[in-house]
Amino acid sequence: MTKDQMKRLRIIVLFLFLGSVSGYSQSLSRVTSGIDLGLGFQGDQWVPSALYHQELSLNHFPWFRIGWGVRAWGYYAGRTNLVPQSNAFSDDTLKFGKLSANGASFVFGANVRVWRFDIGANTDIFGIAFGTKRSGLYSKSTFYEGEGAEYYNAYIGSNPATLNALPLVMDKQNGQSEVFLRYWIADRIGLKLGYVHGRITYSTPEKLDNGQRRFSATYGVPYVGISFPLYN
């Protein structure tokens, strides 16, 4: 996925959220909830998730729903390079042979109901992440030596960054956002198709050049899942 496409995805998600904020001025009505179980995948990236979601529809606009929930997620990938994205001029890189991380996040979202279809988006607001400690090769190609010089071209142990917030708009966070289409095949089961935009971040115990400890990369994968309503 290109940078322009990533930007468009972020704009779509933020647009839906802005619409949901204005919707709070209306009186709230029906409450619905459900569970989505699914998997995002592309190449050697596997992104399973389980999402509990709850929505409120509006009295005057029953087709528009404001939602929140809790997402449990995983991210498993092969060879991956992570960078300190807050420093655009840095050539620091943590290179991993494989990555594995898990997490849980509080989610905010919105969707529109059209016949049997839910069209919507959601994003992680804050959450935690954990996973196996991995050794990443700290690569630095410039001749200038910084405070992390003793680790240049050496392996350094790293873990998924534990505390995270707003990964859609903030660098060096763990979490996900998604746009989706949910089709209710029957009253008690639905098919969900979507696209997951996420960020994976690992943290080093030592400060490296420019005081950096968090290194991250974004990813985007298509998603397929099944949905179950809990009550209507």
Side-chain angles (χ1 to χ4, degrees):
M1 194 178 209
T2 65
K3 290 183 178 179
D4 288 340
Q5 290 173 322
M6 290 288 189
K7 289 180 180 178
R8 293 191 193 102
L9 176 61
R10 294 182 183 185
I11 290 172
I12 291 171
V13 175
L14 290 174
F15 176 78
L16 285 170
F17 295 160
L18 288 174
S20 69
V21 171
S22 64
Y24 273 113
S25 62
Q26 306 292 331
S27 59
L28 297 174
S29 179
R30 191 181 181 198
V31 178
T32 57
S33 66
I35 295 176
D36 299 337
L37 304 175
L39 176 68
F41 58 91
Q42 183 167 298
D44 62 354
Q45 297 179 100
W46 297 85
V47 190
S49 65
L51 172 67
Y52 167 78
H53 55 92
Q54 187 174 89
E55 290 86 25
L56 292 172
S57 60
L58 306 174
N59 277 329
H60 300 295
F61 302 98
W63 45 269
F64 181 72
R65 301 178 177 189
I66 303 162
W68 58 84
V70 177
R71 183 188 351 257
W73 57 267
Y75 179 79
Y76 312 101
R79 190 177 300 277
T80 306
N81 293 343
L82 306 183
V83 297
Q85 295 186 346
S86 62
N87 187 343
F89 301 101
S90 174
D91 63 349
D92 300 24
T93 307
L94 273 182
K95 299 180 178 181
F96 294 87
K98 61 180 179 180
L99 292 179
S100 58
N102 302 284
S105 305
F106 178 79
V107 177
F108 182 76
N111 67 72
V112 174
R113 169 65 63 90
V114 180
W115 189 51
R116 288 182 171 269
F117 294 94
D118 293 334
I119 305 167
N122 60 59
T123 189
D124 292 350
I125 302 301
F126 60 84
I128 60 172
F130 54 91
T132 304
K133 185 175 183 178
R134 302 285 183 186
S135 292
L137 179 65
Y138 184 45
S139 174
K140 180 86 172 183
S141 62
T142 61
F143 293 104
Y144 169 76
E145 290 192 354
E147 58 193 295
E150 65 178 293
Y151 300 104
Y152 289 176
N153 299 312
Y155 285 92
I156 182 170
S158 308
N159 295 87
T162 304
L163 300 177
N164 304 275
L166 299 174
L168 180 65
V169 295
M170 293 179 61
D171 285 346
K172 300 186 293 184
Q173 308 295 316
N174 281 302
Q176 302 177 0
S177 303
E178 65 176 14
V179 292
F180 64 86
L181 174 68
R182 186 189 291 118
Y183 172 64
W184 293 104
I185 301 170
D187 289 342
R188 292 300 173 185
I189 188 169
L191 174 66
K192 184 179 179 184
L193 302 176
Y195 190 86
V196 175
H197 169 73
R199 192 183 301 275
I200 183 70
T201 300
Y202 268 60
S203 177
T204 63
E206 295 83 8
K207 289 184 178 180
L208 302 178
D209 282 9
N210 301 308
Q212 298 285 355
R213 292 184 58 187
R214 288 191 173 202
F215 292 73
S216 65
T218 57
Y219 59 88
V221 295
Y223 168 98
V224 61
I226 54 176
S227 300
F228 305 97
L230 295 182
Y231 56 85
N232 289 305

